[in-house]
């Protein structure tokens, strides 16, 4: 993480050290006073003043572990320090094509509330979508958490610049929308607001929210109605010049020139369901029944899944050739298909490229339903521990 810019005053130095202490406690979970002082590079006295200030503000607390109490034969049991989870909360929203998802995390970056509502994104305008999403978010947020809500993040499937201007969101039908301003105007309380592409938000949540920073290059894919991609290098999201780094969903599959044969059209949920409905004998074909049919080796479903596996392998090869990723993380509802087709995906990867090119490790996100929304909340959590605008007296918008 990058440090906040230089703060010359004694109070500014103290605040900077407080932020560093909170970041250390977030990364490590619990630390002794000596461990925290060592990480901060401060003597015990100076570190003690920092801890006292954070404790007085209700941001840090002392805790003892069961193991320490059991093994302490004499004297005071070992005391550890940790962030006080309920000291602050952060909201994340994903405005998707078929759903709106809201996630609330606490100061320890643990999910305390989540909700997913069905949503027909293409059928409504952006103002309606934002209003509905904000209403759902603040309906989900408990009333006693509102005063401690330190920010809201919104993720959407869109090409977006660093200032929150959506150039295009083809799946939602939006163009030239200043999303950040719309969200700020709709939020019913004063708090920081951030907006981001859904894949970059997912990458943020999966990397920052994991606690342990992966040293290397990871390609994150969100597979829902479309396919979004994000890149994380040594724990930091690489957005590219215009925020489009990692967007492999627009690759043409196998060099096909036919309109609509982009990778996201082949890998996305609607393409799978359209093909499945034409062969399924299920009374109500759905992605759930499709997965069941693949698992049961029903020929029609397996043929669709095989095409999907081949296309995914093709996309991963092209992406990893450029960025040399050592890890791929798949998220979104369609990622549930990968465990059933992992062997076939790896087979196609091996058959499409020379043996000398190393294979990345491919994983699926543990909870595909909250990926971008969780990441949107993590963006505000990260901001709070980097700049803590309320404590530093900066503009939070």
């Amino acid at each position: 993480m990058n440090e906040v810019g230089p703060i010359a005053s004694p109070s500014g130095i103290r605040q900077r050290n407080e932020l560093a202490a909170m970041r250390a406690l977030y990364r490590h979970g619990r630390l002794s006073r000596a461990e925290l002082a060592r990480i901060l590079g401060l003597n015990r006295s100076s570190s003690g003043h920092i801890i006292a200030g954070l404790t007085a503000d209700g941001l840090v607390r002392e805790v003892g572990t069961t193991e320490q109490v059991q093994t302490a034969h004499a004297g005071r049991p070992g005391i550890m320090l940790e962030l006080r989870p309920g000291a602050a909360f952060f909201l994340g929203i994903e405005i998707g094509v078929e759903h709106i998802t809201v996630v609330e995390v606490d100061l320890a970056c643990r999910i305390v509330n989540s909700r997913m509502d069905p949503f027909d994104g293409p059928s409504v305008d952006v103002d309606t979508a934002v209003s509905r999403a904000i209403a759902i978010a603040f309906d989900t947020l408990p009333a006693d958490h509102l005063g401690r809500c330190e920010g809201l993040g919104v993720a959407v499937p869109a090409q977006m610049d660093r200032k929150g201007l959506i150039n295009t969101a083809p799946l939602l039908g939006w163009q030239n929308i200043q999303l950040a301003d719309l969200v700020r105007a709709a939020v019913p309380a004063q708090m920081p607001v951030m907006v981001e592409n859904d894949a970059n938000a997912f990458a943020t949540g999966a990397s920052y929210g994991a606690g342990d920073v992966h040293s290397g290059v990871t390609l994150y894919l969100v597979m829902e109605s479309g396919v979004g991609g994000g890149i994380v290098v040594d724990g930091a999201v690489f957005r590219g010049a215009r925020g489009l780094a990692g967007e492999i969903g627009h690759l043409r599959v196998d060099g096909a020139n036919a309109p609509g044969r982009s990778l996201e059209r082949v890998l996305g949920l609607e393409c799978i369901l359209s093909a499945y409905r034409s062969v399924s004998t299920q009374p109500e074909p759905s992605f759930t029944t499709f997965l069941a049919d693949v698992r049961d080796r029903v020929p029609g479903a397996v043929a669709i899944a095989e095409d999907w596996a081949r296309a995914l392998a093709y996309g991963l090869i092209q992406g990893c050739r450029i960025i040399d990723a050592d890890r791929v993380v798949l998220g979104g509802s369609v990622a549930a298909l990968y465990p059933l087709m992992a062997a076939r995906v790896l087979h196609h990867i091996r058959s499409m490229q020379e043996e000398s090119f190393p294979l990345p490790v491919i994983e699926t996100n543990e909870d595909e339903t909250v990926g971008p929304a969780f990441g949107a909340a993590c963006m505000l959590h990260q901001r709070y521990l980097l700049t803590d605008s309320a404590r530093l007296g900066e503009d939070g918008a």
Side-chain angles (χ1 to χ4, degrees):
M1 286 183 184
N2 295 325
E3 293 287 350
V4 182
I7 304 175
S9 68
S11 62
I13 294 172
R14 185 190 71 251
Q15 290 164 335
R16 184 177 61 188
N17 285 331
E18 288 177 347
L19 290 171
M22 291 174 69
R23 290 195 296 273
L25 289 170
Y26 167 63
R27 283 299 177 194
H28 296 279
R30 288 181 176 180
L31 292 169
S32 69
R33 288 174 175 267
E35 289 170 332
L36 183 57
R38 186 164 54 251
I39 290 171
L40 297 178
L42 299 174
N43 59 41
R44 292 287 293 271
S45 175
S46 298
S47 177
H49 286 300
I50 299 301
I51 295 166
L54 291 171
T55 302
D57 288 344
L59 295 167
V60 169
R61 66 186 180 187
E62 292 184 337
V63 291
T65 66
T66 302
E67 292 79 6
Q68 288 171 326
V69 173
Q70 290 174 342
T71 58
H73 298 292
R76 183 184 180 189
I79 297 298
M80 304 292 280
L81 301 167
E82 69 175 11
L83 294 175
R84 186 181 292 274
F89 299 96
F90 309 86
L91 280 172
I93 300 172
E94 178 195 3
I95 302 177
V97 178
E98 299 175 336
H99 59 259
I100 291 174
T101 303
V102 174
V103 171
E104 179 193 0
V105 303
D106 60 20
L107 187 56
C109 212
R110 293 191 293 248
I111 295 175
V112 294
N113 282 301
S114 64
R115 172 175 168 180
M116 177 186 288
D117 282 20
F119 176 64
D120 185 8
S123 71
V124 302
D125 59 43
V126 63
D127 294 286
T128 302
V130 169
S131 297
R132 189 173 303 174
I134 297 299
I136 293 171
F138 283 88
D139 182 59
T140 303
L141 184 73
D144 62 336
H145 289 189
L146 180 60
R148 288 168 284 161
C149 186
E150 296 291 344
L152 177 143
V154 178
V156 294
Q159 295 181 15
M160 184 186 308
D161 70 14
R162 295 179 182 273
K163 295 183 179 180
L165 173 65
I166 292 177
N167 298 312
T168 180
L171 296 176
L172 292 171
W174 302 350
Q175 284 188 314
N176 300 319
I177 301 294
Q178 183 50 260
L179 182 64
D181 290 347
L182 289 178
V183 173
R184 288 190 185 100
V187 173
Q190 184 68 28
M191 65 180 62
V193 165
M194 297 176 72
V195 297
E196 183 56 281
N197 165 276
D198 60 346
N200 285 338
F202 169 57
T204 297
S207 54
Y208 176 78
D212 294 331
V213 175
H214 173 71
S215 179
V217 180
T218 304
L219 173 64
Y220 290 91
L221 295 184
V222 179
M223 297 185 290
E224 291 283 356
S225 299
V227 175
I231 300 170
V232 172
V233 181
D234 293 336
V237 175
F238 175 70
R239 302 184 78 257
R242 299 174 182 83
L244 302 178
E247 292 290 359
I248 70 172
H250 298 285
L251 289 172
R252 295 295 173 181
V253 179
D254 292 330
N257 294 318
R261 288 294 294 174
S262 63
L263 188 66
E264 72 173 0
R265 293 294 183 183
V266 179
L267 295 180
L269 184 62
E270 186 51 44
C271 179
I272 294 172
L273 291 179
S274 177
Y276 177 58
R277 291 186 190 109
S278 68
V279 301
S280 176
T281 59
Q282 298 281 354
E284 295 184 13
S286 66
F287 189 63
T288 299
T289 62
F290 170 70
L291 292 177
D293 281 354
V294 173
R295 193 176 295 112
D296 293 339
R297 312 307 297 168
V298 176
V302 170
I304 296 167
E306 177 68 12
D307 289 342
W308 180 89
R310 186 182 299 108
L312 177 60
Y314 174 83
L316 293 182
I317 288 171
Q318 308 312 308
C320 292
R321 280 288 187 176
I322 300 298
I323 65 172
D324 191 21
D326 61 327
R327 188 172 68 133
V328 175
V329 178
L330 306 176
S333 59
V334 179
L337 179 56
Y338 178 75
L340 302 176
M341 300 301 295
R344 297 303 298 164
V345 172
L346 294 176
H347 165 77
H348 289 303
I349 290 176
R350 292 189 181 99
S351 66
M352 290 179 189
Q353 65 178 4
E354 61 270 23
E355 190 175 332
S356 62
F357 199 81
L359 292 175
V361 174
I362 304 175
E363 307 169 357
T364 54
N365 189 37
E366 290 186 0
D367 190 345
E368 72 278 1
T369 63
V370 297
F374 174 63
C378 286
M379 293 189 309
L380 275 299
H381 185 280
Q382 185 179 44
R383 178 190 184 277
Y384 185 78
L385 296 189
L386 280 173
T387 63
D388 199 3
S389 60
R391 293 166 61 78
L392 295 177
E394 297 174 359
D395 181 10

